[in-house]
Amino acid sequence: MPTVSVKRDLLFQALGRSYTDEEFNDLCFEFGLELDEVTSEKDIISKEKGEEKAEGASETVLYKIDVPANRYDLLCLEGLVRGLQVFKERINLPRYEKIIPAKDEGQKLIITEETVKIRPHAVAAVLRNITFTKERYDSFIDLQEKLHQNICRRRALVAIGTHDLDTISGPFTFTAKAPSEIKFKPLNQSQEYTASQIMDLYRTDSHLRHYLHLIENKPRYPVIFDSNGVVLSMPPIINGDHSKISLNTRNVFIECTGTDMTKAKIVLDIIVAMFSEYCEKQFTVEAVEVTYPNGKTHIYPELAYRKDKVKPELINKKLGISETPSSLAKLLTRMCLNSHVIGNGNNIEIEIPPTRADVIHACDIVEDAAIAYGYNNIQMVIPKTYTIANQLPLNKLTELLRLDLAAAGFTEALTFALCSMEDIADKLGMDVSATNAVHIANPKTAEFQVARTTLLPGLLKTIAANRKMPLPLKLFEISDIVVKDPTKDVGAKNYRRLCAIYYNKSPGFEIIHGLLDRVMQLLEVPPNEENGYTIKATEAEPEAETYWLPVQHGVHYTATMKSSAFFPGRCAEIFVRGQSVGKLGVLHPDVITKFELTMPCSALEINIEPFV
Amino acid sequence: MGVLSWQEAQGSLTAKGEREPRRIVGLGIMSSEIKAPRPMTSLIGLITSQSPRIALRPHSLRRPERGSSRRTQDGAAHSSSSAEKEHFRVTAVAFPAVAMSPSVAELLLQRLERTPPGPEGGLCSLEAATALGLDHQTLVGAVKSLQALGKVIEAETRATTRWELSAEGAEVLRDGSPEVRLFHSVPTEGLLQSDAMKLPGAQVGFSKAMANKWLRLNKGAPGGPRIFRAVDAVQDTVQNSLRQVQEGNGNSLSERERTDLKKRKLLLEVTLKSYWIRKGSAFSTAVVRQETDLTPEMIATGSWRKLPFKAYNFSALGLPPTCGHLHPLLKVRSQLRQIFLEMGFTEMPTDNFVESSFWNFDALFQPQQHPARDQHDTFFLQDPAEAPELPTSYMARVKKVHSQGGYGSQGYKYEWKVEEARKNLLRTHTTSASARALYHLAHQGKFTPVKYFSIDRVFRNESLDATHLAEFHQVEGVVADRGLTLGHLMGILHQFFTKLGISKLRFKPAYNPYTEPSMEVFSYHEGLKKWVEVGNSGVFRPELLLPMGLPESVSVIAWGLSLERPTMIKYGINNIRELVGHRVNLQMIYDSPLCRLDA
C-alpha cells in the first residue's frame, strides 16, 4: 500500500479547515485511507540516523497516509484534497479538459521503428502556463516517484519524463540507439556521458541502479530527442539536464514511455489531471500528437470520461441497504463519480472520470456507494445460508491423533515447512537429488532453499534449541511434507506425516517402538503380517536412489526417511498390510552430531494418509 | 483473544513472576556463582531414624512439592552425569521412620538438652552437623521437622561467608599458577611464542607473566616472536594465597588479593546459611513421632486410628503429572476449526503448498504485473518451475477477462501471458485453495449454497522480524449463495469474531485485487487503546466468479486472518519467533494454558 507524506498545515489549509489527529484519522478511516503516522522530517531523520543528524531539520508536522494501491488519484496532496473535498461535498469534481491546438501548432512526438523491441509505447502532453511554488514543485516530483514505484512497477511498465518545454523544440523523436551513439549531460550532472558511461555512473547510485537492468542488456537504448538533437531523456533511466524543470518553468512537456500502453495512458492522465490545477486555465491540458511507426497518429492525453449504467436495486441488493435512486446517485457523486438518475428512476448513469481508472466493473461502483453510505452504517445480517459442516477426513484424523500422542507423553512441536538443502540431505547422510525435494528459485537465505521432505530435521533442530531442558525429550509433529510428483497439476504434492522423536541418555528404541504400537492400536491396525502391521529390519541401502512406492488407494507415497539416517542394524521399515508406510530406528551418530546433539536418539516417521 | 482476555494476556505478561506459586525456600548453600536464589523443596518428612536419601528432580519444574517418596521413581530415572547436572538440583528428602536407631532429630535434641538454658545457650547447626558427622543439609531437615512440631525448639537463621577454592583454584594450588608454570617452561635460550602458547594455561599465564614483567617478548626474533625470561626467579604468590585459603585463613588475605583471585575464578565466596538453635518453651527430648502418610498396613491393622499424622504443607505445589503437551498455535487452530464447524462451515482441501501462479493469482483476477507477483514478495520455484497442467478452457476465459474484459468488466487491458500463469510458487495465500474449491463447486452441476473454511500454511518471501516469518498460517472463511450482501458479510464476521471473543468491530474500506467491495476488519484493543486490524474481507469480484462458471446470481463473501496474530495476543507472545519454528522454548509449550477464546 503506497504511503503519501503531506504537510499537515498545508493539507488543512487546502481542506479549508483543521482537524485533530483523531478527527482526521476518523475521516481517513471512513474514506478507506489510513493515517499511518504523525511525524516530522526531524523525527524521521532522528529515527533513521540519530538525533544529532536531525539537528536543524524541519519540525513541520507531516501526515503519512496509506492510500489503497488502486487509487492513483490520491497519491499527492492535490488529489487527496480533491477527493476528500468532493467526498465532503465542499466542491464539485472539476472537469478535466483537453485542448487540441490548431493544426501544426501543437507539439508532436514521433515514435520510430527501433523502439518496438525494447519500449514500444509513448504518450505525451503539455501543461501550459503553470505556476510552480516550492510545495507544488515538490509534490509534482513526489507524485512521479509514487507512480514509478506503484503502477509503473519500478519503471518497468512506464517511465515518466517531465521537461521545460521552453528549452527544447519539437517535433520530438522517440527512438532507440546503440549505447555508444547516445551522448548527453544527464540530469544534475556537470558533463556529457555516453549511454554506456551513464550506466556505469549509476551502477552505485542508491536509487537509479535499480532501473539499469531494464535496458542494460539490450543492443539499443530508448532515447527521446528534440528537433535539434537535444536529448530529453533516456527512459527509463534518466532525463537530460538540458530540459530540466525548475520553479520558474511555465510550460511542461510530459512524456510517458513504456511496455504497457494502458498504464502509460493512465499515468499521463493522472499527472495532468492533478497538476492542471496550477495552469493559467485551470484543469486544461494541451494535447500532443503522437505518430506511430506505421504512420498512424493519435492525440494524447486521452482524458476519457466513460459512462456506465447501474440499476439502483443492484446497488441496494449488493449492499443490503434500501436507498432511493437519487440518494444513491448523490452518494456516487461524492466519490468523484458524477451520477444522475435516468429512465424514470430505473437506472443511474455514472460518469467515470479519467482519474478513476480503478473503476472497471459495476462492483467498483457498488463499493463506492458503500463507502459514501458508510460501511459502518450498513445493517449487519446473518446470512440464511443453511449448510451442514464437514471436516476434511485427513485433518480430522490429524486432530484425533494429536490429542492421543500428547496423551502418550509426547509434546507437539511446530516447525517450518521450508529448510535448507543441508537439513534434508547432507545432515541425514544422503544426496539432495535423492530427496525429490521442491527447490525454491529465489530464497533470501539458505534457510529457505527447499520444502522439507521429512519432518525429522525440524524436530532435531527443536531439540538442539532446547538442549537445556530436562531429559528425556519426547516430541512429535503431524504436518505436511512436499515432494515432486509429475502426475499432479502443479508437479508436486503434500503428504501428511507423523514424526516422533525420543532423546535421552539411552536410545530408547523400545519407547519409539511402543509409540508405534500405540499409534497402530489407535488406528485399529493389529500387529500381524496379513492384515496388520509389521516392522522389518532394513538392509543397508545402495547409494542414494529415489524410489516410488506402488499406488495404494490412489495414493502415491515415497519412502519417508532413507535408512542412511539410522544407525546400521537399528532401523526397521514399517509395513501396513504389506505396504511400507515409514521407518523407525535409532538415529545414526553422524546425524546426531550434524544436528549439534550429543545424546542417543530414536525416531519414527510415517505417512498417515493410508489410514484416512 | 477477545477484548477482555487481551487485557488478561497482557497482564499475565507483566505479572508473570507473581503468578508463580509461592516458594518455600529452604536453607542451603548459596554459592556466589548462583545469582538467583534457587527454590528448595519444602521438607515435611517426619523425624526419621533413617538417613535421608538424596533425590534428584528437574530444576526446571521450579516448584516446591508436597510428595516425598513419590519422587523416588523420578530420581531413579535420572542419573547424574556432568552433562545433566545443571538440569537437576539436589534436594534432601526425609523418609518415614521405620528403623530403631535414634533419628537425626533425636540426636539433635539430645545435644540441645546439654546446652545451658536462657538466651545464651544454644547450638550452631554447622557445628552440630560436624560433631554428629552429618551433612549440614540433613541436620537442617531435622531442624525443620522439629520446628513443625511447635515450640520444642527455636531456631534463627544466620548467614556466614567463607572462601573456598574453585576447581581451577585447586589445580593451581596443586601445580602452581599458570604464569609460574609458563615461566619455568621458558629455557634460557627463550621459546617461540607460538610454541609457548600451545602449553596448557599459556594464554592466561603469558598475560600475567608479562604484566608481572617476568617475561619479555622479542617480536623480531628470527623464526618468529620469541619469549625470554626477564628475571631469574619468581615467587608463586597466587599459589601461596590459595594455600592460605585452603588452610582456612582466607580472611587474612587483603580485600584486593581476594578480588583478584575471584576475578580469575580461582576463589569462590560461599554464603553459608545456618541456624542458631535453642531450646523452645516446650522443649523435650521425647518427641512424639508423627506419621507422614497412610500406609496399606495402617489401613489393614487399623493403627491409623491411634496414630498422629504430620500436617501437610498445603502452600506447596503438587507434583506435576508426566504428560505430553499440545502446541499453543495448534490449540488455537483447533478452536478456530471448532468455531467454523459450529457455524456450519465445511473444510476445504489445502494440501498443496506448491501452487501455480494461475491459481494463486490469475484465477483471482490479480494482474500479471501486480507487485505481489514480484520476486521480492513471493517464493517462486526452480524445480518444478512450471505447473504441467492448467485447466485449458477456464484459462482461456481468465485470459480474456484480464486482457480484454467481459462479464461487465473493462478488464486490465494488458497482454496476458500463459508463461506467467505456469510459473510455480509456494502459495502466498490459501485463497488459491478457495479458488479451486469454487471452481470445483461451479462444475458440480446444479449450484448449491456452501460455506467453506481452511486453516493452513502460506509463504511470503519477506524480510523477517518480530511479527513476520517466511511462512505463517492463514485462516479463511468463504460463503457462496444467491443474494448475499455486504451486510451479510458484516453479520457473519460479527458472529465469527464474537466467538473469538472480539465483539467490538468496525469496518474500513480497503483494496484487494480479488474482492470488491473490500473491508478491513478492525477491533478495539483495550490494552493498546486503539483500533487494530484483525482481518481482511470482501465480496469476490464477478471477474473471478463468472469465468469459473458460477451463476451470475451467486455472490461469494470471504474473509481471512492469520492464525499467529490472535495466538500471540491470546498467549501474550510479542515475538513470533518465540511461537513458531524450531527455536521456540519447549517450556513455553509445556506451560501454555487451555485455549478458551471467548472466556
Side-chain angles (χ1 to χ4, degrees), chain A residues 13-85:
Chain A
Q13 192 190 330
L15 288 172
R17 62 159 287 190
S18 59
Y19 294 82
T20 64
D21 290 348
E22 202 178 352
E23 283 168 347
F24 192 72
N25 184 42
D26 285 345
L27 173 62
C28 284
F29 195 96
E30 192 189 349
F31 193 56
L33 304 170
E34 207 171 325
L35 179 56
D36 185 48
E37 207 185 344
V38 180
T39 179
S40 72
E41 232 165 81
K42 190 172 181 174
D43 274 357
I44 297 171
I45 298 174
S46 99
K47 238 184 238 172
E48 285 171 1
K49 297 174 182 165
E51 263 175 50
E52 286 158 27
K53 299 258 176 171
E55 204 79 21
S58 161
E59 291 184 49
T60 311
V61 178
L62 293 179
Y63 274 180
K64 289 196 157 186
I65 301 169
D66 281 348
V67 175
N70 62 341
R71 291 297 299 270
Y72 318 117
D73 59 323
L74 304 177
L75 287 176
C76 59
L77 176 83
E78 290 72 16
L80 268 174
V81 168
R82 218 172 288 163
L84 287 171
Q85 293 293 71

Side-chain angles (χ1 to χ4, degrees), chain B residues 9 13 328-329 331-332 566-573 592-595:
Chain B
L13 258 187
L329 186 85
K331 290 202 248 195
V332 178
T567 307
M568 287 168 75
I569 295 169
K570 168 80 193 162
Y571 288 103
I573 293 168
S592 76
L594 293 178
C595 174

Side-chain angles (χ1 to χ4, degrees), chain B residues 319-394:
Chain B
L319 190 64
T322 49
C323 58
H325 309 264
L326 294 173
H327 192 282
L329 186 85
L330 301 177
K331 290 202 248 195
V332 178
R333 184 181 71 180
S334 299
Q335 286 311 300
L336 280 162
R337 287 183 87 243
Q338 180 68 24
I339 288 170
F340 276 117
L341 294 171
E342 284 167 10
M343 293 174 70
F345 282 67
T346 286
E347 198 166 26
M348 288 183 272
T350 49
D351 57 344
N352 59 309
F353 294 165
V354 174
E355 189 55 280
S356 59
S357 293
F358 177 77
W359 285 108
N360 197 81
F361 295 124
D362 297 288
L364 293 168
F365 199 51
Q366 205 151 340
Q368 295 190 327
Q369 313 87 346
H370 192 275
R373 302 181 73 152
D374 203 281
Q375 296 272 327
H376 295 282
D377 296 296
T378 300
F379 286 117
F380 287 93
L381 295 191
Q382 183 185 66
D383 183 22
E386 293 196 333
E389 195 187 320
L390 296 174
T392 319
S393 63
Y394 170 45

Side-chain angles (χ1 to χ4, degrees), chain A residues 1 25-26 29-34 68-70 153-154 157 260 262-263 306 317-320 359-364 366-367 370-371 375-376 378-383 385-392 395-396 398-399 402-403 406 409-418 437-444 447-448 452 458 461-462 465-473 475-477 479-480 482 484 486-494 505 599, chain B residues 58 60 78-79 81 84 87 323-327 329-330 333-334 337 341 344-349 351-356 365 369 371 374-376 378-384 387-389 407-414 424 426 436 449-451 457 459 461-464 469-471 479 481 484-488 490-492 494-495 506-511 516-520 522 541-543 555 580-587 589-590:
Chain A
M1 198 186 288
N25 184 42
D26 285 345
F29 195 96
E30 192 189 349
F31 193 56
L33 304 170
E34 207 171 325
N70 62 341
R153 299 293 297 118
R154 300 194 183 100
L157 303 183
D260 185 313
T262 311
K263 294 216 159 52
R306 180 167 68 84
K317 218 176 75 184
K318 291 282 177 196
L319 298 181
V359 177
I360 57 174
H361 192 278
C363 67
D364 297 302
V366 169
E367 180 182 77
I371 294 171
Y375 275 14
N376 296 292
I378 296 172
Q379 179 84 40
M380 296 191 201
V381 184
I382 299 172
T385 312
Y386 178 79
T387 50
I388 301 292
N390 280 307
Q391 303 185 51
L392 210 64
N395 290 356
K396 192 172 179 177
T398 302
E399 288 288 291
R402 285 174 61 230
L403 295 176
F410 282 71
T411 289
E412 187 171 38
L414 175 61
T415 65
F416 296 126
L418 306 185
V438 162
H439 288 253
I440 294 168
N442 55 335
K444 278 190 183 145
E447 280 181 284
F448 312 125
R452 64 181 171 199
K461 288 196 282 183
T462 306
N466 283 278
R467 276 173 305 198
K468 290 204 167 153
M469 295 299 287
L471 295 175
L473 287 173
L475 300 181
F476 81 93
E477 182 168 13
S479 192
D480 284 7
V482 186
K484 287 190 284 180
T487 67
K488 291 285 153 188
D489 66 342
V490 294
K493 184 181 174 358
N494 286 21
K505 298 177 67 60
M599 306 270 169
Chain B
S60 64
H78 305 297
S79 65
S81 84
E84 255 175 49
H87 303 159
C323 58
H325 309 264
L326 294 173
H327 192 282
L329 186 85
L330 301 177
R333 184 181 71 180
S334 299
R337 287 183 87 243
L341 294 171
F345 282 67
T346 286
E347 198 166 26
M348 288 183 272
D351 57 344
N352 59 309
F353 294 165
V354 174
E355 189 55 280
S356 59
F365 199 51
Q369 313 87 346
D374 203 281
Q375 296 272 327
H376 295 282
T378 300
F379 286 117
F380 287 93
L381 295 191
Q382 183 185 66
D383 183 22
E389 195 187 320
Y407 312 101
S409 176
Q410 302 290 308
Y412 292 122
K413 301 199 173 89
Y414 69 97
N424 264 339
L426 293 174
R436 284 176 180 268
V450 294
K451 294 196 291 222
R457 289 181 202 242
F459 304 86
N461 196 6
E462 289 191 283
S463 306
L464 313 185
L469 287 176
E471 52 186 281
V479 185
D481 199 355
L484 290 174
T485 69
L486 196 61
H488 284 133
M490 290 161 65
I492 207 156
H494 187 257
Q495 293 295 315
R506 70 175 188 174
F507 303 94
K508 176 174 135 350
Y511 169 68
E516 191 84 7
S518 309
M519 306 193 294
E520 281 168 4
F522 279 70
R541 294 188 71 101
E543 291 102 321
S555 292
V580 188
H582 57 267
R583 286 186 197 91
V584 303
N585 184 350
L586 286 175
Q587 195 66 45
I589 301 177
Y590 294 166

Side-chain angles (χ1 to χ4, degrees), chain A residues 54-195:
Chain A
E55 204 79 21
S58 161
E59 291 184 49
T60 311
V61 178
L62 293 179
Y63 274 180
K64 289 196 157 186
I65 301 169
D66 281 348
V67 175
N70 62 341
R71 291 297 299 270
Y72 318 117
D73 59 323
L74 304 177
L75 287 176
C76 59
L77 176 83
E78 290 72 16
L80 268 174
V81 168
R82 218 172 288 163
L84 287 171
Q85 293 293 71
V86 172
F87 182 60
K88 284 293 174 190
E89 296 174 280
R90 294 197 197 105
I91 60 166
N92 291 322
L93 182 71
R95 206 174 167 80
Y96 308 108
E97 202 184 330
K98 173 167 63 181
I99 295 176
I100 301 170
K103 201 162 166 49
D104 295 331
E105 278 179 24
Q107 297 299 333
K108 287 192 169 74
L109 176 65
I110 299 146
I111 306 177
T112 72
E113 188 72 43
E114 289 80 9
T115 63
V116 172
K117 278 192 179 147
I118 156 123
R119 213 168 173 82
H121 307 294
V123 293
V126 172
L127 288 174
R128 279 284 172 199
N129 296 316
I130 195 166
T131 310
F132 279 125
T133 62
K134 176 79 171 72
E135 276 83 20
R136 292 172 183 182
Y137 180 87
D138 288 347
S139 177
F140 188 59
I141 303 293
D142 272 357
L143 174 65
Q144 293 173 49
E145 182 54 21
K146 287 278 176 313
L147 291 167
H148 274 152
Q149 291 308 315
N150 292 284
I151 180 173
C152 304
R153 299 293 297 118
R154 300 194 183 100
R155 305 192 186 181
L157 303 183
V158 186
I160 309 157
T162 54
H163 311 276
D164 187 336
L165 183 57
D166 300 323
T167 65
I168 44 181
S169 63
F172 306 103
T173 309
F174 176 38
T175 183
K177 283 180 179 276
S180 57
E181 291 172 37
I182 304 171
K183 191 171 186 187
F184 66 103
K185 189 160 93 177
L187 190 64
N188 299 331
Q189 295 290 336
S190 51
Q191 64 172 92
E192 288 198 344
Y193 295 92
T194 65

Side-chain angles (χ1 to χ4, degrees), chain B residues 72 86 131 134 159 179 190 214 233 316 328 369 410 415 423 480 549 569 589:
Chain B
T72 50
E86 57 175 315
L134 291 168
E179 53 267 40
W214 293 350
Q369 313 87 346
Q410 302 290 308
E415 195 191 332
K423 282 185 185 170
I569 295 169
I589 301 177

